[in-house]
Amino acid sequence: MPTTEDSGNAGTSALLRMRDLLDLLDRGAPAEQFTPSTAGATEAGELSDADAAVLADATRIALRIRRTLSQHRRREAELAALFDTAGDLARLREPDAVLKAIVHRAKLLLGTDVTYLSLNDEEAGDTYMRVTDGSVSAAFQQVRLGLGEGLGGLVAETARPYSTGDYRDDRRFRHTSKIDTAVTEEGLRAILGVPLRVGTRVIGVLYAADRTARTFTPDEVALLSSLADHAAIAIDGARLLDETRTALVDLNEASRTIEAHSEAMRRAEDAHDRLTDLVLRGGDVTDVATAIGTVLQGGTLVHDAEGAELARVGTDSGPPAAEAVAASRADGRAVSAHGMWVCAVLAGHELLGSIALTGRADLDDADRRLFERASLVTALLLLLRRSVAETEDRVRGELLGDLLTRAADPAGLSARALRLGVNLGHPHAVFVLHTEAAPRPRLLAAAARLAQARKGLAGLHHEDVVLVCPAEAPGEGPGHGPATGTGPAAVSLAGELGRALAGPVTVGAAGPVTGPAEFADAYAEARRCRTALRALGRAGTGAALRDLGFLGVLLGDQTDLGGYVHQTLGPVLAYDATRGTDLTRTLRAYFDEGTSRSRAAETLHVHVNTVVQRLDRIGSLLGRDWQRPERALELQLALRIHRVNGPDDTAGGDPGPGDFAA
């Protein structure tokens, strides 16, 4: 039987063992250290049965406390990890970095072989693999799951967590060959999936998986769900931040666009105001072309509806293609063609001309609109010019009509002409024009341009296009140089108008005349000359009546017979006068005897060789064609006029000292 001393020792031993349990709890010792055998201590008398029972209960309580403390420590570690995760996610800004951080943190916290994340595609109606950590299968990394398919599709559809200890044998899920193949290739068995939710909306699924079969504990489900909640917030925050950035970029771009548009509008309005003011202040086409080129930094060409060049500034390019002008006219916009921009100048549907911009391969929308606006200003200028020209042409036409019909009050006509810049006190030539290569209005327009440039008059009179210019002006032009007399001026004018109208133009000339009273007769003479040119088959040329030989003599009202003789026989008469020869008499005898050299020699009482020598000299003076029928006829007429106007020299005579020398 135990003694009192033994009872005291046993109580002391129990207290020591209780202290050891507390020490084990304090040190966090493994569970196996809490269950030492108490049977031996009881048999040895170290513990009573009652103390042994109390010590066993204390051990069980200590183990429960240990489990609770372990759970608390694990929970604290998980919470700390979640807080760290939240901090990490909060510092991330790029969506891809956020997703990778979520998946990697889940793998670290749960200690699984693979973690991955899928996002829902609302347009496609499925969920697709977005990020993986620990995956080795390319097929698995690219798999897409329809809503309700497989474990992940079911989580995405129901917004509830699902787990399986062995997916291949779990019939709770709708298996598909595509999903099963990807899972098998990756070698996954145990899978846990929890939804990523933003409010009530599921945006994806977060997974943890092992390649061995096992069961996921509720704590692991809760931990992954907590991480998914943090992740969903981070993903949505990153999405909102990305959208905000995109919105800011769009806003900045819109702001720049608005600013650029505002600047373009201001520039366009300024250019329009400058061009309009230029037109209203009386600027010409060249001024407008210069302003357009300055604003748009290029060369400028302006042409009228007929293709005639009106202005050229800063470019040596050729005119725009007719096809480009037609395309711009049809589209109502500027078009690019052959390295230049072309815009038709329109007044409603009427084509007034075109403007072309060179040296600018590209035009942005703002500059293109500015160029098109410049065409409107050009149209305004051309309409104003046409209105002024029509008014001036009407006034000039009325003045021309009065001049050509011998209107009364010559002084009044001179005063009216001076107001139009025409001085009738100076010599003027009168030209009557005709062409079948262009309509009469085009011929009249071309004549009007010449009249305006040369301070003359142009208009219609009795259906004839008539041009009156200072006598020296028509003979002056590019490539012609100054010419004297109306004949050469008519030739020059026919060539210039022919080039402008791309066809032959016949020009009959008369004058020069001075004073209003002489214009009517000059017009009648120029008209007869024009008619004679066409009758002689010389359409497309220009001449005065004096240039038509004996026909001019017959048609002229105030014929200069002496001038005709001098024009026809001048070289021969001059030779006789300076050398003392008698070539003129020899030529007359030659024609009188029917161009017989022997009979002419008998008439002249000279040897036939003398006649041959004289005729050779005459040929060298008059030209090789002097014996052609029409030329011979003119020579015979001039000889008869010369005989009538001169002394009778029909008697024969000996050859002069210079005859044989001739």
Side-chain angles (χ1 to χ4, degrees):
M1 184 172 182
T3 64
T4 303
E5 182 179 354
D6 293 335
S7 298
N9 292 334
T12 301
S13 178
L15 289 174
L16 291 173
R17 291 182 181 277
M18 292 289 288
R19 190 189 66 180
D20 291 341
L21 289 174
L22 293 174
D23 184 57
L24 291 172
L25 286 174
D26 181 55
R27 289 188 289 108
E32 58 269 15
Q33 295 184 17
F34 282 79
T35 57
S37 176
T38 59
T42 302
E43 292 176 357
E46 296 179 1
L47 289 175
S48 64
D49 292 339
D51 288 340
V54 171
L55 185 58
D57 287 341
T59 300
R60 287 191 294 271
I61 292 171
L63 288 172
R64 286 199 304 270
I65 292 173
R66 180 187 177 281
R67 285 193 298 271
T68 301
L69 290 175
S70 296
Q71 290 174 353
H72 286 171
R73 282 194 291 269
R74 185 175 69 252
R75 190 61 178 167
E76 287 176 1
E78 291 173 353
L79 289 175
L82 288 175
F83 285 133
D84 291 343
T85 299
D88 292 343
L89 296 178
R91 286 190 294 272
L92 296 175
R93 293 293 181 264
E94 298 297 329
D96 286 346
V98 170
L99 297 178
K100 291 178 180 178
I102 291 168
V103 172
H104 182 67
R105 182 69 69 168
K107 189 171 185 293
L108 293 177
L109 291 177
L110 272 73
T112 54
D113 296 328
V114 182
T115 50
Y116 48 100
L117 182 147
S118 66
L119 294 178
N120 289 358
D121 188 338
E122 296 180 357
E123 293 184 1
D126 61 6
T127 181
Y128 63 96
M129 201 68 70
R130 184 67 174 82
V131 180
T132 64
D133 192 339
S135 171
V136 295
S137 169
F140 182 79
Q141 295 168 13
Q142 299 174 6
V143 71
R144 298 183 75 99
L145 296 78
L147 296 180
E149 295 178 355
L151 184 147
L154 188 59
V155 173
E157 183 181 46
T158 63
R160 295 175 55 191
Y162 281 92
S163 67
T164 177
D166 193 343
Y167 179 78
R168 290 178 296 182
D169 299 330
D170 197 333
R171 298 295 99 186
R172 291 179 301 159
F173 308 108
R174 191 196 314 170
H175 289 259
T176 66
S177 59
K178 181 172 63 175
I179 298 173
D180 288 352
T181 300
V183 171
T184 300
E185 186 174 317
E186 189 63 51
L188 300 181
R189 302 287 294 279
I191 303 174
L192 168 62
V194 296
L196 297 168
R197 287 176 293 195
V198 177
T200 60
R201 183 169 60 93
V202 177
I203 64 173
V205 179
L206 179 61
Y207 304 86
D210 276 324
R211 294 188 173 92
T212 58
R214 76 176 183 89
T215 301
F216 287 96
T217 66
D219 289 342
E220 290 176 318
V221 175
L223 177 60
L224 193 62
S225 295
S226 297
L227 184 60
D229 290 340
H230 283 79
I233 294 172
I235 291 172
D236 194 53
R239 178 186 61 81
L240 292 175
L241 181 60
D242 190 57
E243 290 179 355
T244 301
R245 287 174 176 169
T246 303
L248 286 174
V249 171
D250 292 342
L251 182 60
N252 289 334
E253 183 64 27
S255 177
R256 286 192 294 269
T257 301
I258 292 172
E259 183 178 352
H261 181 70
S262 176
E263 173 62 21
M265 290 292 294
R266 185 202 61 76
R267 184 161 163 257
E269 291 175 0
D270 178 65
H272 185 268
D273 291 343
R274 286 173 57 190
L275 291 172
T276 304
D277 182 64
L278 186 63
V279 172
L280 295 178
R281 285 191 290 103
D284 59 15
V285 180
T286 301
D287 295 330
V288 172
T290 302
I292 295 172
T294 300
V295 171
L296 294 176
Q297 298 179 343
T300 314
L301 288 168
V302 183
H303 291 79
D304 64 12
E306 304 299 333
E309 184 178 301
L310 301 180
R312 174 186 293 269
V313 177
T315 180
D316 56 0
S317 298
E323 295 80 2
V325 177
S328 174
R329 181 182 186 183
D331 190 41
R333 300 290 307 276
V335 300
S336 178
H338 307 297
M340 67 171 60
W341 284 88
V342 181
C343 191
V345 178
L346 302 172
H349 296 291
E350 181 186 359
L351 179 67
L352 300 179
S354 67
I355 57 175
L357 182 69
T358 64
R360 289 290 304 273
D362 296 317
L363 283 182
D364 57 26
D365 289 341
D367 281 352
R368 183 175 179 177
R369 287 192 296 270
L370 199 157
F371 183 49
E372 291 164 353
R373 182 172 290 192
S375 74
L376 297 178
V377 176
T378 305
L380 173 63
L381 175 61
L382 294 182
L383 285 174
L384 288 174
R385 284 189 55 188
R386 185 168 72 179
S387 177
V388 171
E390 288 175 351
T391 301
E392 186 172 328
D393 287 346
R394 184 174 63 253
V395 174
R396 289 176 176 271
E398 292 172 354
L399 173 62
L400 182 63
D402 291 343
L403 280 173
L404 302 183
T405 54
R406 291 192 179 90
D409 191 13
L413 291 176
S414 297
R416 287 166 58 190
L418 284 175
R419 287 195 294 270
L420 295 175
V422 179
N423 188 349
L424 298 181
H426 292 164
H428 281 73
V430 179
F431 305 93
V432 177
L433 318 176
H434 177 82
T435 184
E436 295 181 355
R440 186 178 296 160
R442 283 193 60 193
L443 177 60
L444 179 59
R449 285 195 293 268
L450 289 175
Q452 185 177 12
R454 297 168 180 175
K455 300 184 182 305
L457 300 172
L460 279 177
H461 187 68
H462 298 320
E463 301 303 318
D464 292 323
V465 177
V466 182
L467 172 64
V468 172
C469 286
E472 69 278 7
E476 297 176 353
H480 294 286
T484 58
T486 55
V491 173
S492 174
L493 187 60
E496 186 171 352
L497 290 172
R499 289 188 294 273
L501 299 178
V505 177
T506 306
V507 179
V513 295
T514 304
E518 300 181 16
F519 278 89
D521 292 336
Y523 160 67
E525 181 178 325
R527 193 168 188 268
R528 289 195 301 271
C529 182
R530 187 275 319 269
T531 302
L533 286 172
R534 297 183 64 201
L536 292 172
R538 293 174 59 182
T541 63
L545 279 181
R546 69 174 62 89
D547 303 316
L548 300 183
F550 76 92
L551 186 60
V553 174
L554 297 176
L555 295 175
D557 285 340
Q558 298 177 353
T559 304
D560 180 8
L561 296 178
Y564 173 72
V565 171
H566 177 75
Q567 181 180 358
T568 307
L569 292 174
V572 176
L573 296 175
Y575 192 90
D576 284 346
T578 58
R579 300 292 185 92
T581 57
D582 204 4
L583 298 182
T584 304
R585 183 161 163 260
T586 300
L587 183 61
R588 184 185 307 121
Y590 175 70
F591 283 125
D592 288 344
E593 297 299 333
T595 67
S596 171
R597 298 176 182 179
S598 59
R599 289 198 298 272
E602 293 176 1
T603 301
L604 295 172
H605 305 292
V606 296
H607 194 275
V608 67
N609 289 337
T610 301
V611 173
V612 171
Q613 291 177 0
R614 293 179 180 179
L615 292 178
D616 287 342
R617 173 57 63 186
I618 290 171
S620 67
L621 295 173
L622 298 180
R624 295 181 179 180
D625 64 341
W626 69 276
Q627 295 192 67
R628 290 177 55 195
E630 62 271 19
R631 184 79 185 280
L633 179 59
E634 291 191 1
L635 289 171
Q636 292 178 64
L637 179 60
L639 288 169
R640 290 184 181 276
I641 295 173
H642 182 257
R643 173 181 289 179
V644 170
N645 290 341
D648 185 6
D649 57 352
T650 57
D654 295 331
D659 282 351
F660 292 101

